[in-house]
Amino acid sequence: MGLATEGLNLRRIGGSIRGLGGFAVVTALTFLGLLAVTFFIGRVVPIDPVLAVVGDRATQAQYDAARVAMGLDRPLVVQFFSYVGEVLRGDLGQSITTNRPVAEDLARVFPATLEMATLGILIGVLLGVPTGVWAASHQGSWIDQVIRVFALMGYSVPAFWLGLVGLAVFYAGLGWVAGPGRLDIFYEGLVPTRTGLMLVDSALVGDWQVFFNALDHLALPATILGFFSLAYIARMTRSFMLDQLGQEYITTARVKGVPEWRVIWGHAFKPIRVPLITVIGLSYAGLLEGSVMIETVFSWPGIGNYLTQALLNADMNAVLGATLVIGSVFILINKISDVLYRVLDPRSR
Amino acid sequence: MTAPLLEIDNLRVSFPTHTGRVEVVKGLSFTLGRERLGIVGESGSGKSMTGRAILRLVRSPGRQVADRMVFDGIDLQAQSERAMRALRGARISMIMQDPKFSLNPVMTVGAQIAEALRVQERLPHRAVRARVLEMLEAVRIHNPERVARLYPHEVSGGMGQRVMIAMMLIPRPDLLIADEPTSALDVSVQAQVLDLIDELVRENGMGLILISHDLGLVSRYCDRIVVMNAGEVVESCVASELNNATHPYTRGLIAAQPRMEETRDELPVLDRSAWSGT
């Protein structure tokens, strides 16, 4: 018995290593494809990056010099592979908008988005899943109707509108939350940057004033993001649950005398965890792309804002860098979902 | 004969449609001792709904009413939902049709059987485990330790149905309803499963309601037979008397059964004008 189990474990570990090798190859190819597509699209858009650098009053000689300096005179394929080489060495190039290395910029803007998105998805999951389960187990009741209308609102209300109204009501009107930005000016630069996540950095040095100020600033935008993912997650949870509650094994559980709350959470909810992970993972990845609307309304220095600025300025290094980050987020979240599937669904093992 | 185990008088089950409520069980009455009763009928005759109604498991918007529904001296209609839960499984249990759909796909077989016991009795973990393994052996599963760890998709149909039987019998109920327990199984394992149910029911002195569309099967395994058509009982007789049945519907069903030695080219079709309604 012991030996048999060990053999099984060894085989599992072997399988995992092979799986990991395959994963690395697939990931590398995905990144290469992602870079290639972004790179070539960036080169064919009718915006001249050289002009963006030298300005429109430069002489032809200055223009040509800048063009050679930026390496844009070489064939596209050569440019692409030299870019890939630099990326492999960890160099994402200079941003022409901020005049700083793109890697440094990303290390600054991505945590701002990560913090807001994580709080948003937490709100969405912690409230959305129970709401959806509740609506499904009370299908057709007035509560179900209210939840459905609420979820529909989350689909149809524009984010910027909700952001502006939220600011007008809760910041300007009631004064319950702090305004735009990540911190009040007074608190800025008080805590050393380690992770770039305000809440974590301030908690690490035990500066609770900064912590609560950061939370105050996060509250409104994160709640609004949370509302959108809540609406989506609740709708999906409701429909997954309705599907399961109609199955025969639910009747079996009731025949056994299992209490209703356990029929719902212990039986019907278990199989829907797998599709829910996909829904939650994709919502989270969507939030991590950075909501340009919310970031603009709340002057949030996140990746959505950064990417939009870079696009408008034809700042291709920044665009490519940000795309890489977003691509990695999607690949990572997909991989985590895959692992969770296998843990939660015996049929996929 | 002692006091009956189950008495049902004028049971009606109805569902709303856009043309008004439709009754799927129309005034069913029978009395059951610790014996084996067969309910036969075609699809849609209301036999499955009868089984569910006894457990009070007709889900909204379906509705069930009866003049009298008494199980072992307990008025089932007067019980709260909580009191019904204590009866379900523990005293009245039901074997469902297809183990592919009636077992939870993401719980191990052992956990599902254990749950049936645990909702009724507070027992230490070891005792539950011992009872589960014992029960799996009782349903002729030779390697109970291994099977208890399997998931439903990893067992065959016949084995799944034996797991189902183990799950429904582990709290030692007094009445077992078997709702088409073999119609999803291969013919070769149907008899094994029915023999097993029969044996366990006899051993434990339980009452059995066997719901089926198979006349031959029901007359082999039951003491008495109720024939249902369109929500009504059309015939009620002792199993051995089935061939002397008088109702044209029953006669029609019997006539439509193929026989080993016969040479008929076509089986007769039910002549529905012979009785009223449908």
Side-chain angles (χ1 to χ4, degrees):
Chain A
M1 173 81 183
L3 263 179
T5 325
E6 251 163 54
L8 199 71
N9 280 345
L10 280 180
R11 234 177 316 162
R12 268 214 190 129
I13 292 166
S16 303
I17 291 170
R18 258 201 309 282
L20 220 60
F23 171 63
V25 172
V26 171
T27 310
L29 285 175
T30 313
F31 272 123
L32 199 65
L34 187 65
L35 274 184
V37 170
T38 323
F39 187 88
F40 289 112
I41 290 177
R43 289 298 184 263
V44 296
V45 287
I47 305 175
D48 190 343
V50 182
L51 212 56
V53 172
V54 297
D56 53 6
R57 275 187 289 180
T59 62
Q60 188 61 40
Q62 283 170 321
Y63 179 92
D64 288 340
R67 193 172 143 82
V68 173
M70 291 167 77
L72 293 175
D73 55 331
R74 298 173 297 167
L76 264 187
V77 181
V78 176
Q79 286 182 42
F80 176 66
F81 281 105
S82 86
Y83 177 75
V84 172
E86 280 162 25
V87 169
L88 285 177
R89 284 194 301 274
D91 179 10
L92 298 176
Q94 287 285 121
S95 157
I96 56 170
T97 326
T98 61
N99 268 325
R100 271 184 301 198
V102 170
E104 245 173 62
D105 280 346
L106 288 172
R108 190 169 38 82
V109 297
F110 185 65
T113 295
L114 181 66
E115 193 165 39
M116 187 155 84
T118 306
L119 222 59
I121 199 75
L122 277 178
I123 293 171
V125 172
L126 293 180
L127 297 178
V129 171
T131 306
V133 170
W134 221 57
S137 54
H138 296 78
Q139 193 200 0
S141 70
W142 66 271
I143 278 184
D144 182 30
Q145 306 294 343
V146 168
I147 291 172
R148 280 167 67 184
V149 169
F150 194 69
L152 194 67
M153 256 171 61
Y155 254 52
S156 32
V157 173
F160 68 89
W161 182 84
L162 209 57
L164 287 172
V165 170
L167 273 177
V169 174
F170 296 105
Y171 168 60
L174 298 166
W176 289 358
V177 295
R182 294 184 77 186
L183 281 177
D184 286 354
I185 287 231
F186 177 75
Y187 293 107
E188 254 166 47
L190 280 189
V191 290
T193 304
R194 283 190 211 164
T195 59
L197 304 166
M198 263 331 156
L199 295 178
V200 177
D201 284 349
S202 57
L204 277 178
V205 294
D207 193 332
W208 300 108
Q209 272 191 323
V210 173
F211 180 86
F212 285 112
N213 187 256
L215 197 61
D216 215 2
H217 279 267
L218 264 171
L220 193 56
T223 305
I224 290 170
L225 280 188
F227 171 68
F228 288 108
S229 50
L230 183 161
Y232 177 56
I233 291 171
R235 267 172 52 125
M236 298 310 283
T237 307
R238 179 180 180 277
S239 89
F240 293 151
M241 275 303 274
L242 282 179
D243 201 33
Q244 293 302 317
L245 286 171
Q247 301 281 323
E248 278 285 288
Y249 72 84
I250 295 299
T251 309
T252 307
R254 288 188 178 125
V255 168
K256 291 198 283 187
V258 175
E260 196 59 24
W261 65 269
R262 254 196 24 215
V263 169
I264 288 163
W265 290 102
H267 282 272
F269 186 68
K270 279 188 177 169
I272 76 160
R273 290 177 305 185
V274 168
L276 262 189
I277 281 167
T278 312
V279 165
I280 292 168
L282 285 178
S283 297
Y284 189 39
L287 293 185
L288 283 173
E289 250 178 80
S291 162
V292 180
M293 295 290 183
I294 293 291
E295 285 181 3
T296 306
V297 169
F298 288 91
S299 317
W300 201 264
I303 198 166
N305 247 338
Y306 182 74
L307 182 54
T308 315
Q309 284 308 315
L311 273 170
L312 293 176
N313 293 332
D315 187 353
M316 282 325 290
N317 283 338
V319 170
L320 283 166
T323 309
L324 257 181
V325 169
I326 291 167
S328 326
V329 162
F330 269 87
I331 290 170
L332 189 70
I333 285 181
N334 269 324
K335 192 59 195 168
I336 293 173
S337 308
D338 261 12
V339 170
L340 286 175
Y341 287 175
R342 245 163 281 170
V343 173
L344 294 177
D345 192 345
R347 288 166 295 186
S348 65
R349 273 171 218 155
Chain B
M1 202 170 135
T2 49
L5 191 58
L6 179 70
E7 279 176 87
I8 289 179
D9 193 13
N10 196 19
L11 171 69
R12 291 173 182 277
V13 179
S14 60
F15 283 88
T17 63
H18 32 255
T19 54
R21 289 194 88 83
V22 169
E23 285 199 324
V24 295
V25 179
K26 303 170 185 163
L28 179 92
S29 306
F30 66 82
T31 310
L32 176 81
R34 292 196 180 259
E35 60 183 333
R36 301 167 303 165
L37 174 76
I39 300 183
V40 227
E42 59 191 281
S43 305
S45 61
K47 52 193 199 305
S48 280
M49 268 305 149
T50 306
R52 280 169 201 219
I54 295 168
L55 285 156
R56 287 230 334 247
L57 276 177
V58 175
R59 300 290 296 173
S60 168
R63 210 161 52 195
Q64 62 177 96
V65 289
D67 291 349
R68 200 172 142 73
M69 205 158 83
V70 178
F71 167 77
D72 198 20
I74 304 163
D75 181 0
L76 291 178
Q77 296 189 94
Q79 301 303 308
S80 65
E81 182 53 31
R82 197 189 174 82
M84 271 316 291
R85 274 207 305 273
L87 283 172
R88 284 183 203 133
R91 306 221 45 208
I92 310 175
S93 208
M94 180 159 80
I95 292 171
M96 316 270 293
Q97 188 169 345
D98 191 344
K100 259 209 293 305
F101 302 112
S102 52
L103 294 174
N104 190 323
V106 300
M107 274 170 91
T108 61
V109 159
Q112 293 189 60
I113 300 174
E115 187 190 35
L117 185 60
R118 237 185 245 123
V119 290
Q120 306 298 349
E121 287 175 56
R122 282 194 69 84
L123 283 173
H125 187 74
R126 277 171 168 279
V128 171
R129 201 179 142 69
R131 282 272 296 275
V132 168
L133 295 181
E134 188 189 316
M135 197 66 227
L136 280 171
E137 258 175 79
V139 294
R140 310 278 152 71
I141 285 174
H142 301 299
N143 198 344
E145 302 239 1
R146 188 181 68 88
V147 174
R149 278 197 302 269
L150 296 179
Y151 287 92
H153 70 278
E154 296 171 314
V155 302
S156 66
M159 195 183 269
Q161 204 58 320
R162 277 186 271 180
V163 164
M164 182 55 131
I165 295 169
M167 180 160 72
M168 291 311 178
L169 291 187
I170 198 168
R172 300 183 179 135
D174 300 281
L175 172 60
L176 180 68
I177 302 163
D179 186 0
E180 306 245 11
T182 56
S183 51
L185 302 182
D186 287 343
V187 183
S188 54
V189 292
Q190 282 186 358
Q192 285 173 25
V193 166
L194 280 167
D195 286 340
L196 183 67
I197 293 177
D198 190 50
E199 188 190 309
L200 292 170
V201 163
R202 282 161 184 271
E203 267 177 18
N204 298 301
M206 297 158 48
L208 171 72
I209 297 177
L210 178 61
I211 297 170
S212 175
H213 56 256
D214 188 336
L215 261 181
L217 188 143
V218 163
S219 61
R220 211 170 327 131
Y221 286 96
C222 294
D223 306 313
R224 280 194 306 130
I225 292 178
V226 166
V227 181
M228 282 182 80
N229 177 40
E232 290 175 84
V233 173
V234 294
E235 184 94 41
S236 177
C237 66
V238 176
S240 52
E241 300 287 304
L242 188 65
N243 286 326
N244 307 328
T246 50
H247 193 277
Y249 179 67
T250 318
R251 292 234 56 87
L253 286 183
I254 294 170
Q257 278 186 305
R259 271 168 246 285
M260 272 302 229
E261 68 278 11
E262 73 186 348
T263 50
R264 285 186 286 185
D265 287 338
E266 272 179 35
L267 292 171
V269 174
L270 280 179
D271 176 14
R272 288 174 193 273
S273 63
W275 60 93
S276 60
T278 47

